[in-house]
Amino acid sequence: ELVYDLVFKSMKRILTPNYIYVIEMKNITMGSTGITVAQNGFGALPLQRVSLDEAVKILRRAHEGGMRFFDTARAYSDSEEKLGAAFFDGWLNREDVIITTKTTAKTPGDFWKDLETSLNNLKTDYIDVYQFHLMGQCYRPGDGTGMYECMLEAKRQGKIRHIGGTAHKIGIAEELAASGLYETIQYPMSYLAEDREIELIKTCNRNNIGFICMKGLAGGLITNSVAAMAFAAQFDGLVPIWGIQRMSELEEWLSYMDKTPAMDEEITAFIEKERQELKGDFCRGCGYCMPCTVDIQINQCNRMALMIRRAPSEGWLSQHWQDEMKKAEGCIECGKCLPKFPYGLNI
């Protein structure tokens, strides 16, 4: 929470009058699901860091401002419960909002346990898109795991409407997109994306798969929301989910609903400059590598130099972070973080 506060308090969003805006809200149809939502979705992971009352206020304001797509997960502690309290405790009709959540289950037993927990937390009898979370393989019928069969049975029972998968590794995402088994794919996508990742969006469009765009700000490294929005808005079939923790952040994304930044020469040149600065391997700050066996804050230590340069804050130079950075010298190279890490960095 401290890290999150430091990053967002120090971020300076760049708003230049010369940027081109399109005065029109874009609606996105998510492939074969037929689900159509406004161009900005709500990423509910950060809501686990705020109180229930504050989360309810933020979520209801998001809906009032035009957002209809809300993404959460069993892994996000009480995020599902906050969505349930905000929307389905007598405030909204169920069909007025699209909810996606995820399971990290690796066995059918855990799948059904997670699904029932999510339904109870969300106060609903169905989930619009149910996703396998952080997939390490493309589950298929008859592969021996029984996992895809669970999705089919849950869909037959009416407990889920559509089947999705999330991946952090491009190879897994490509396999999902080519399989014909998944109606949506969730993958990290920002203006720092490589050509191969852009091609994934095109593949999803060709195969009529909805593309859910996570990490549109590259874990906090991107501080220009205008450019981030313009990049995402240029693609058909792509719904970006912006991680939101504060009302001020929400209002920023809501401001782009009817006044959407469009790619122009200035934004294109800016993005190219950003790509040159950040090209190659960099830490997205996802934290999947942790916990560390010797208590190193691996993700923040890995990207500290970038954060100090791109989101300068005196907080990064506090005694707390001096002490945390010192811990990195005590790495015992046990390697236990490496199998958990989705991007292939030599952390």
Side-chain angles (χ1 to χ4, degrees), residues 132 135 138-139 148 163-165 176 179-185 209:
F132 289 123
M135 295 178 73
C138 175
Y139 291 125
Y148 195 83
I163 299 171
L176 297 177
S179 70
L181 298 171
Y182 294 87
E183 298 166 273
T184 68
I185 291 173
I209 299 168

Side-chain angles (χ1 to χ4, degrees), residues 68-133:
R68 293 294 180 269
F69 188 87
F70 296 81
D71 178 85
T72 184
R74 281 294 307 116
Y76 303 163
S77 63
D78 63 354
S79 175
E80 289 179 332
E81 296 171 74
K82 288 168 177 171
L83 280 163
F87 294 147
F88 306 134
D89 207 5
W91 193 74
L92 278 183
N93 293 322
R94 177 63 183 87
E95 63 272 14
D96 291 337
V97 67
I98 301 298
I99 298 290
T100 71
T101 192
K102 318 177 191 75
T103 175
T104 58
K106 299 294 189 294
T107 67
D110 286 341
F111 175 97
W112 291 109
K113 180 181 177 181
D114 276 359
L115 178 56
E116 293 302 326
T117 301
S118 292
L119 290 169
N120 289 332
N121 287 344
L122 290 164
K123 301 181 187 300
T124 181
D125 57 3
Y126 72 90
I127 292 162
D128 294 281
V129 182
Y130 199 48
Q131 304 168 90
F132 289 123
H133 198 175

Side-chain angles (χ1 to χ4, degrees), residues 14 19 191 216-217 222-234 242 256 261 263 267-268 270-271 274:
I14 305 169
Y19 286 162
Y191 64 58
L217 296 177
I222 290 175
T223 58
N224 184 336
S225 67
V226 172
M229 185 71 243
F231 173 82
Q234 69 182 318
W242 309 106
Y256 299 149
M263 292 292 289
I267 290 180
T268 299
F270 172 81
I271 287 176
E274 289 274 277

Side-chain angles (χ1 to χ4, degrees), residues 255-269:
S255 74
Y256 299 149
M257 296 292 259
D258 296 320
K259 189 179 179 184
T260 307
M263 292 292 289
D264 61 8
E265 291 183 3
E266 185 176 355
I267 290 180
T268 299

Side-chain angles (χ1 to χ4, degrees), residues 3 76 85 102 133 157 168 183 225 230 239 245 291 297 305 316 323 333-334:
V3 173
Y76 303 163
K102 318 177 191 75
H133 198 175
Q157 293 180 17
H168 288 253
E183 298 166 273
S225 67
V239 177
Q245 177 176 326
Q297 294 294 312
W316 292 121
D323 293 342
E333 299 188 20
C334 65

Side-chain angles (χ1 to χ4, degrees), residues 139-200:
Y139 291 125
R140 300 171 181 271
D143 65 6
T145 67
M147 298 305 289
Y148 195 83
E149 287 85 347
C150 288
M151 281 286 195
L152 291 175
E153 178 60 20
K155 192 173 182 180
R156 188 193 68 79
Q157 293 180 17
K159 294 182 177 181
I160 68 173
R161 296 285 174 87
H162 304 285
I163 299 171
T166 81
H168 288 253
K169 294 181 178 179
I170 184 64
I172 297 294
E174 290 169 337
E175 190 175 354
L176 297 177
S179 70
L181 298 171
Y182 294 87
E183 298 166 273
T184 68
I185 291 173
Q186 186 170 149
Y187 184 79
M189 187 65 62
S190 71
Y191 64 58
L192 301 177
E194 303 289 340
D195 290 344
R196 183 179 175 185
E197 295 173 311
I198 300 297
E199 186 60 32
L200 176 65

